């Protein structure tokens, strides 16, 4: 058994970001400033979008995204039950009503046919999540959106590298929102970014992310001298700090190397687990790029002889940290109280949510770490 505990989702932090954080501290400019602007430029260039607005989380970006698209009271937004609660909470915070459309059991992404069935006269938007880094069926979702005049917000928390038929995830809908939370493919500790082709949406997102003020703090405190500002709307305090951007602006330069490293781990898992009685991630079409954010296995008690939760415990006792992405949203008590949802409302999501388990897949893993995970999985299954 391995000596030290393998923490799930640990990021790889390298010398350039360590140096940049120190330089940022020494510059005494910690808040939103030149490093945040540089990080935004680098992400926009990577994603091929004209506008990127740095924020302190993806959750903040999803919330502002709903607001700047005019979603609110009485509006319904269709999203997936196989996501982190933040996707749903953002809709609720905007004052709109979340509506769930079940996932496809193979891709684990929102099923466009289910979306169609959930459309009512009050539907205003779709909020798809590229689950685990696999692209949603965006052609089908965009055509539904066009037909019904719906806005589309792509939750790209798993999907920085994701591409769909030649298009980058996050650049297909009206808005795309990235996360740089500590477990994501590139990190800033906490952080997020909104991507858009629309300059007005970008401007509004930026303004609403900094109190609704007409000029951001960077402009107010440069050596151009003090300038008065107006407060045009009641906004939020969601801006990204330079201290965070100092990490991200170097992480983005290594995004391809990290992806290649995760691909090696991914393929090793696939080879080693091919004969085990567990479910493995489905292959994806050649004209898509998977972001390889989560390697999820399915533990079906009838096939494996142990439940997912027993598997979690056995891996934990072997010093392997794992994650669960996700227990299906309708099973969460707050939504049951508010919306009357029942745990089995979305049967495919429920089936996945009861069986899924995410294995470590960070670029930080050594070959020995990966070997330890493989051995622990095999042992847990008595293989
Ligand atoms: C992590 C995550 C979020 C929230 O990201 P934060 O940056 O932590 O706010 C939203 N949606 C999905 C699918 C996520 O995995």
């Amino acid at each position: 058994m391995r000596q030290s505990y393998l923490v799930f989702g640990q990021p790889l932090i390298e010398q350039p970001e360590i140096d940049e954080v120190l330089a940022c501290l020494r510059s005494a400019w910690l808040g939103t400033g030149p490093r945040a602007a540089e990080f935004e430029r680098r992400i926009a260039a990577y994603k091929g979008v004209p506008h990127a607005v740095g924020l302190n989380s993806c959750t903040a970006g999803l919330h502002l995204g709903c607001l700047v698209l005019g979603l609110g009271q009485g509006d319904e937004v269709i999203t997936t039950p196989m996501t982190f609660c933040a996707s749903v909470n953002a809709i609720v915070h905007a004052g709109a009503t979340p509506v769930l459309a079940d996932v496809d059991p193979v891709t684990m992404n929102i099923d466009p046919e289910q979306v169609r069935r959930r459309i009512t006269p009050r539907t205003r938007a779709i909020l798809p999540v590229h689950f685990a880094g696999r692209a949603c069926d965006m052609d089908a979702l965009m055509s539904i959106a066009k037909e019904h005049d719906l806005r589309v917000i792509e939750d790209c928390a798993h999907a920085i590298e994701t591409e769909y038929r030649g298009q980058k995830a996050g650049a297909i809908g009206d808005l795309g929102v990235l996360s740089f939370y500590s477990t994501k493919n590139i990190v800033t500790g906490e952080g997020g970014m909104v991507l858009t082709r629309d300059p007005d949406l970008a401007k509004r997102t930026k303004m609403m992310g900094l109190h609704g003020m007409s000029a951001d703090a960077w402009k107010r405190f440069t050596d151009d001298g003090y300038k008065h500002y107006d407060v045009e709307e009641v906004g939020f305090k969601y801006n990204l700090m330079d201290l965070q951007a100092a990490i991200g602006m170097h992480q983005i330069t290594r995004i391809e190397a990290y992806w290649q490293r995760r691909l090696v781990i991914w393929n090793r898992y696939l080879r080693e687990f091919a004969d085990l009685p567990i479910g493995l991630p489905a292959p994806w079409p050649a004209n898509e790029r998977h972001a390889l954010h989560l390697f999820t296995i399915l533990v079906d008690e009838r096939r494996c002889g142990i439940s997912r939760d027993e598997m979690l415990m056995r891996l934990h006792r072997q010093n392997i940290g794992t994650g669960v992405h996700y227990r299906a949203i309708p099973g969460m008590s707050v939504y049951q109280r508010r919306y009357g949802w029942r745990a089995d409302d979305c049967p495919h999501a429920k089936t996945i949510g009861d069986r899924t388990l995410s294995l470590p897949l960070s670029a930080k893993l050594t070959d020995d770490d990966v070997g330890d995970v493989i051995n622990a999985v095999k042992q847990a299954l008595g293989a």
Side-chain angles (χ1 to χ4, degrees), residues 57-59 62 83-84 86-87 129 155 157-158 179-181 184 190-191 326:
S57 72
C58 172
T59 306
L62 293 169
T83 188
F84 187 53
S87 316
V129 178
D155 181 333
H158 303 174
S179 174
F180 310 117
Y181 176 66
K184 304 294 159 95
E190 299 281 0
Y326 300 92

Side-chain angles (χ1 to χ4, degrees), residues 26-57:
R26 292 200 176 98
S27 79
W29 190 285
L30 310 184
T32 305
R35 287 183 173 86
E38 179 59 25
F39 184 39
E40 288 172 344
R41 272 194 296 275
R42 290 183 187 186
I43 293 285
Y46 176 75
K47 276 297 195 178
V49 291
H51 307 286
V53 180
L55 297 168
N56 60 15
S57 72

Side-chain angles (χ1 to χ4, degrees), residues 117-159:
R117 289 187 203 166
R118 299 292 176 285
I119 289 176
T120 75
R122 290 176 301 283
T123 308
R124 294 281 310 282
I126 311 172
L127 198 157
V129 178
H130 304 289
F131 176 77
R134 182 180 176 131
C136 290
D137 185 351
M138 292 306 292
D139 281 353
L141 294 175
M142 295 307 289
S143 81
I144 293 169
K146 200 166 168 206
E147 234 172 274
H148 296 273
D149 192 24
L150 310 177
R151 306 282 78 75
V152 175
I153 304 175
E154 296 174 70
D155 181 333
C156 297
H158 303 174

